[in-house]
């Protein structure tokens, strides 16, 4: 994946730019493969090869490819290629992050349905799904900020999951109770909405100023949901 992606990026830019993409993508790919290897039960390796889990793993690979564009912002590509003006890289590069992340989002809707239809829902699949959801919510907004497509404030969504986990872990460490996360009818739809919004935001279809304004509005419900969940599990708010 890293070698093939490097060839595509090099063909559209330069070997130096492609090397930067490969380095970042390679690091994230190591995480994807390492996470899979760590959570696979040695006695049940077939679970990793189940079609739903293969689809989820491909999502992780696509998010790794998206992460590589952190090292290839449009301004640097334009500068390397000697293009007049900032933010005028080749069309293939301008669309690449949105296509990689968007494909991963599409597969997110496919792997769960496939698992249910084939009756291959597994604990491994659940772990992979949560881990790669979190990975996507981290790398795609970072690329969006680096490319000027999203405001820095939108990174609050990327940090929210980590802040939530850190806060609940801190409470447990201090011996304070942490309840179970209640079921929610809005949590999953909001996550899907954010995924779709990020995919669209990464495209060059809309002016950055319009996307920035929309991002500040779109992020509010998800942040409010994280806050509500924390208040519920800590007993400060009824489920």
């Amino acid at each position: 994946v890293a070698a093939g992606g490097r060839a595509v990026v090099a063909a559209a830019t330069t070997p130096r730019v492609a090397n930067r993409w490969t380095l970042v993508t390679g690091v994230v790919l190591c995480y994807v493969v390492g996470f899979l290897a760590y959570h696979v039960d040695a006695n049940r390796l077939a679970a990793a090869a189940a079609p739903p889990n293969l689809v989820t793993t491909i999502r992780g690979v696509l998010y790794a490819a998206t992460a590589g564009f952190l090292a290839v912002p449009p301004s640097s590509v334009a500068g390397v290629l000697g293009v007049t003006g900032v933010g005028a890289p080749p069309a293939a590069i301008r669309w690449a992050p949105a296509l990689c992340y968007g494909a991963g989002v599409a597969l997110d809707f496919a792997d769960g349905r496939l698992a249910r239809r084939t009756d291959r829902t597994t604990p491994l699949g659940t772990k992979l799904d949560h881990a790669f959801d979190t990975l996507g919510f981290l790398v795609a907004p970072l690329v969006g900020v680096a490319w000027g497509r999203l405001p820095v404030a939108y990174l609050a969504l990327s940090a929210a999951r980590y802040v939530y986990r850190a806060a609940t872990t801190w409470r447990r460490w201090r011996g304070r109770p942490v309840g179970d996360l209640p079921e929610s009818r809005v949590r999953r739809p909001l996550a899907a909405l954010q995924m779709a919004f990020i995919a669209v935001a990464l495209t060059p279809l809309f002016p950055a100023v319009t996307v920035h304004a929309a991002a500040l509005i779109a992020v509010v419900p998800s942040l409010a949901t994280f806050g509500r969940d924390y208040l519920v599990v800590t007993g400060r708010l009824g489920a």
Side-chain angles (χ1 to χ4, degrees):
V1 168
R6 183 194 178 283
V8 172
V9 176
T13 59
T14 68
R16 186 176 69 179
V17 173
N19 288 342
R20 294 204 302 261
W21 179 90
T22 305
L23 176 63
V24 177
T25 296
V27 170
V28 182
L29 280 174
C30 286
Y31 164 76
V32 170
V33 175
F35 186 93
L36 176 61
Y38 180 80
H39 289 282
V40 168
D41 187 335
N43 295 320
R44 303 179 67 180
L45 292 176
N53 292 343
L54 287 177
V55 172
T56 307
T57 302
I58 292 172
R59 284 177 51 215
V61 172
L62 287 167
Y63 294 157
T66 304
F69 292 97
L70 275 169
V72 193
S75 57
S76 70
V77 175
V80 168
L81 297 180
V83 178
T84 302
V86 175
I93 295 301
R94 288 189 290 117
W95 281 90
L99 292 176
C100 290
Y101 181 71
V105 170
L107 291 179
D108 184 34
F109 294 99
D111 57 5
R113 289 186 177 183
L114 183 60
R116 290 187 292 272
R117 287 187 177 183
T118 60
D119 195 24
R120 299 296 295 272
T121 302
T122 63
L124 175 62
T126 301
K127 290 178 180 178
L128 292 176
D129 186 62
H130 289 167
F132 297 156
D133 276 351
T134 302
L135 176 63
F137 274 122
L138 174 63
V139 301
L142 284 172
V143 172
V145 170
W147 282 50
R149 300 298 304 169
L150 287 170
V152 175
Y154 194 83
L155 294 180
L157 179 64
S158 301
R161 295 187 180 211
Y162 299 98
V163 171
Y164 174 86
R165 291 179 182 178
T168 52
T169 300
W170 174 248
R171 279 185 62 88
R172 290 190 181 97
W173 185 79
R174 296 171 63 192
R176 296 189 176 184
V178 176
D180 294 330
L181 191 64
E183 294 292 331
S184 172
R185 289 181 294 180
V186 301
R187 192 180 297 121
R188 186 66 181 175
L190 277 177
L193 174 65
Q194 297 296 344
M195 289 179 179
F197 176 79
I198 294 169
V200 173
L202 290 176
T203 70
L205 290 176
F206 303 100
V209 64
T210 302
V211 176
H212 281 216
L216 295 177
I217 298 172
V219 75
V220 171
S222 292
L223 293 180
T225 300
F226 275 108
R228 174 190 175 277
D229 288 344
Y230 180 75
L231 292 176
V232 169
V233 300
T234 56
R236 294 182 173 90
L237 184 68

